[in-house]
Amino acid sequence: MVSEQRERILEAALEVLAARGFKGTSIDAVAERAGLTRQGVLHYFPSKKRLLLEVLDFREALHRENLSDRRVGEDWAGDFAEAVAFEQSHPSLATVHSVMLAEAVTGQEPAADYVQQRCRSLQDHLAASLTERYGEHLPSGLSAPTAAAAVLALVEGVHQLWLVDPEAELETDRYPRIVRDTVAVLLGTDSLADPAAEPGTHPAPHPHDPATGPAADLDPTDGQSLATNG
């Protein structure tokens, strides 16, 4: 359970990191955003690197919480669409992921190590889940590793598109719909979601289906698509 004070710091750090990146973020800036002293932040997070890693974990936890009402894994296309819809309604989650990804591409630590490990972990986890359900090849004909990489690349690319699309806020269902429809094609399955349902709504929870599917880990990116792939 995250304490109220700790969560306050993480939320403030998320906003600052999204705006400034790791290098541009300081403990003092986070403390100011959180309404605390520098020592108040350091009491919970003894270093800036530790704070960043905890923020990324916090981001993923928010994704898992958002998906907790879904029967995750029954409708993967809908699960990934919901993850994208959630980040569209919480832009700082997607922005901090994109900032960390940009820093990883240029080899900046600690983003580079985190992103590399997370990307591989996500692909392996999704590929294993697809193999468990469909075997070596999916109904679409793709191998499980190829489909896993393609799905995560799709979600990653969609994140970048809507972040720079000024119309995204006006047509909030567009990018989640693109993800839902394309994932269904990549997997070769019909989405179980109601075609009339908007992303952001959840089916009734099922007591025997906890949110443990691949989209729960994703941030999207991620939950985790630094992961989403974040």
Side-chain angles (χ1 to χ4, degrees):
M1 179 70 71
V2 179
S3 71
E4 183 177 342
Q5 189 91 309
R6 187 183 183 87
E7 184 168 344
R8 189 164 138 204
I9 295 169
L10 289 171
E11 289 175 346
L14 184 64
E15 297 291 337
V16 176
L17 283 162
R20 304 185 183 184
F22 181 72
K23 280 193 172 183
T25 294
S26 67
I27 295 295
D28 288 335
V30 173
E32 182 179 357
R33 179 69 64 93
L36 299 170
T37 64
R38 175 184 177 85
Q39 285 306 118
V41 174
L42 291 173
H43 173 74
Y44 292 95
F45 307 99
S47 70
K48 191 169 76 165
K49 179 179 178 179
R50 173 70 177 274
L51 178 58
L52 169 67
L53 296 177
E54 295 259 6
V55 164
L56 296 175
D57 287 343
F58 179 59
R59 174 180 176 270
E60 294 173 6
L62 291 175
H63 270 286
R64 288 193 294 272
E65 181 180 351
N66 177 62
L67 290 170
S68 63
D69 287 345
R70 293 182 63 90
R71 293 189 288 260
V72 174
E74 287 190 6
D75 172 23
W76 282 344
D79 294 338
F80 282 104
E82 171 58 31
V84 171
F86 179 66
E87 291 217 339
Q88 278 194 263
S89 64
H90 300 77
S92 61
L93 298 180
T95 303
V96 76
H97 166 67
S98 294
V99 168
M100 292 301 103
L101 184 61
E103 294 189 356
V105 168
T106 57
Q108 298 181 50
E109 297 293 354
D113 183 60
Y114 180 92
V115 170
Q116 289 167 9
Q117 292 188 35
R118 196 63 192 138
C119 283
R120 175 50 56 193
S121 173
L122 278 174
Q123 287 190 52
D124 289 347
H125 176 59
L126 182 52
S129 297
L130 292 171
T131 299
E132 183 178 0
R133 174 171 292 188
Y134 300 111
E136 292 185 5
H137 287 85
L138 280 62
S140 65
L142 295 176
S143 68
T146 297
V151 167
L152 296 177
L154 165 70
V155 174
E156 196 69 72
V158 165
H159 272 101
Q160 307 311 315
L161 285 175
W162 75 255
L163 279 171
V164 299
D165 182 356
E167 303 297 324
E169 292 184 5
L170 302 176
E171 194 179 356
T172 57
D173 67 329
R174 179 185 177 196
Y175 290 106
R177 186 173 65 248
I178 289 171
V179 168
R180 184 178 60 239
D181 293 348
T182 308
V183 170
V185 171
L186 289 171
L187 302 186
T189 59
D190 291 328
S191 175
L192 298 180
D194 180 354
E198 295 294 332
T201 61
H202 307 290
H206 191 288
H208 303 300
D209 289 310
T212 55
D217 284 334
L218 186 69
D219 109 74
T221 111
D222 93 44
Q224 303 171 357
S225 175
L226 268 183
T228 183
N229 282 292

